[in-house]
Amino acid sequence: MFVKAEWSCNLSAKLDLLAAFAEIARGLGNAHRLDLLEHLAQGEKGVETLAAKSGLTVANASQHLQALRRVGLVVGERRGKQVVYRLSGDDVLDLVAALRTVGERHADSVKAVVRDYFNERDALDAVAFQVLEQRLRDGLVTLLDVRPPDEFADGHVPGALNIPLADLKARLAEIPSGAEVVAYCRGPWCVLAFEAVALLRQTGRDAKRLDGGLPEWRRAGRQVAGPPAI
Amino acid sequence: MFVKAEWSCNLSAKLDLLAAFAEIARGLGNAHRLDLLEHLAQGEKGVETLAAKSGLTVANASQHLQALRRVGLVVGERRGKQVVYRLSGDDVLDLVAALRTVGERHADSVKAVVRDYFNERDALDAVAFQVLEQRLRDGLVTLLDVRPPDEFADGHVPGALNIPLADLKARLAEIPSGAEVVAYCRGPWCVLAFEAVALLRQTGRDAKRLDGGLPEWRRAGRQVAGPPAI
DNA sequence: CGAACATTCAAGAGAGTTCTTGAATGTTCG
DNA sequence: CGAACATTCAAGAACTCTCTTGAATGTTCG
């Protein structure tokens, strides 16, 4: 079969444009950078904080942040001695969410990781925002924020109880017994909530993950308690 | 400032998961692959067709398609002698759309390309689907599909007139005079419609781009004429 | 000003990506 | 079966990405 070439027209304009979009995609094309974006989705942060939270050296985190800034996914602002980074807009959250949707639906590698590391039932058995709100109103549920206290302080779902995952074992007594527990953390794939649910179930509690973390809650236009608004 | 490391928990699970998503992002991270996705958004196609349409060698196109298939963005199916590829789902269109949104809003490089190659006014001055539908009903507008005939045959907006960009100069007489002309092609950034509008304006017509191509029209749940539905 | 601090720059080793070329595989048709 | 066809594989050159290390830059505070 012979097919005539059809790219007679302004090919370089098109390729330049697509190359610009491709550059943005490559900005997302690294696990550490996706991790940094998840942390930045909780709120703006300095380089050293981000490096510590994502387990990178400061120099390396700085380079990744500059890569993200170069393609416009984050913006950095000098504030005194520090440079504070934040997401450049809500559309970045939408982009990462779209990436996750495709990944969940299609990529075998994602399915394999979920199967290997998480209980597959836990992954599917997440509570939607609307359901949570209904049960919170009815007092049927304890909402647990398992992120570190600094992120909790920067903003959290109203009514949530903050017990970081690291302390959860020691502070089980603080969780009212009887009611169902719903845990959330940084996002739909943040491991903190997965592990919290696993631990709570081991101790005989009725625990579920919230389907989405604080950034998704905020993005859905819900009220956020605690911080000065962005 | 000293920040305690916080990644005590199941770090590798998280990084594996993020790496899987990053791999998908890298799948989008190449201009030729984005081009291939745009062509596939028009409808399923064989390797040789795609290679011709995007100006790649067959071997190279095959490799890019396999890269896309590896990360689950497209699926390929052997059909007799040919292997026919198609997008793996509508969420892929949503992902590319999200990428475009971020690019348009944030990336300087995108703005630079638009400024250099296109008339900035043309880029902004696009007609929304709803506006088009209203004017089509009122008979105030001629809708022009400037894609090659094979893609038109695979599906087009009902009522559109097909004049490929390459033939447009020679076939100007076929376009009813008086009415405004709205041109569309493969997507919001497909150059065909940009160039058609530029050409039509040079000849004194009142021409505008449609804000989105056939894939976006289809994705918005509108009726598509011509083909067997996907 | 000089010390302390937060971040960035620069260079280099190692790994991954992309394109080209030519050969190999799998499918159909005479 | 063998020829023709469509696609994929394999290998290599050029290029880009990532992480590490140590030095350089810019900012504040005493």
Side-chain angles (χ1 to χ4, degrees), chain A residues 117-118 165 191-192 195, chain B residues 7-15:
Chain A
Y117 287 100
F118 307 117
L165 178 62
V191 288
L192 302 176
E195 305 214 342
Chain B
W7 31 284
S8 51
C9 63
N10 198 338
L11 184 63
S12 77
K14 177 171 193 176
L15 277 186

Side-chain angles (χ1 to χ4, degrees), chain A residues 45-54 56 58 61 65 82-83, chain B residues 1-3:
Chain A
K45 291 187 171 48
V47 177
E48 198 173 352
T49 310
L50 286 163
K53 281 188 187 290
S54 52
L56 299 170
V58 170
L65 288 165
Q82 284 193 102
V83 175
Chain B
M1 176 185 179
F2 178 75
V3 182

Side-chain angles (χ1 to χ4, degrees), chain A residues 34-87:
Chain A
L34 289 177
D35 193 23
L36 290 169
L37 288 176
E38 187 175 83
H39 288 297
L40 286 173
Q42 314 302 310
E44 55 178 36
K45 291 187 171 48
V47 177
E48 198 173 352
T49 310
L50 286 163
K53 281 188 187 290
S54 52
L56 299 170
T57 65
V58 170
N60 198 5
S62 173
Q63 281 183 196
H64 280 304
L65 288 165
Q66 282 170 77
L68 290 170
R69 181 160 59 178
R70 202 179 314 127
V71 299
L73 289 165
V74 309
V75 292
E77 180 197 348
R78 181 131 223 158
R79 205 174 291 167
K81 244 186 270 200
Q82 284 193 102
V83 175
V84 175
Y85 283 91
R86 62 174 185 278
L87 298 187

Side-chain angles (χ1 to χ4, degrees), chain B residues 170-199:
Chain B
R171 295 171 60 184
L172 277 173
E174 295 177 34
I175 304 172
S177 60
E180 181 189 21
V181 181
V182 172
Y184 77 90
C185 53
R186 292 175 187 135
W189 288 110
C190 175
V191 289
L192 302 177
F194 279 98
E195 306 213 342
V197 167
L199 198 152

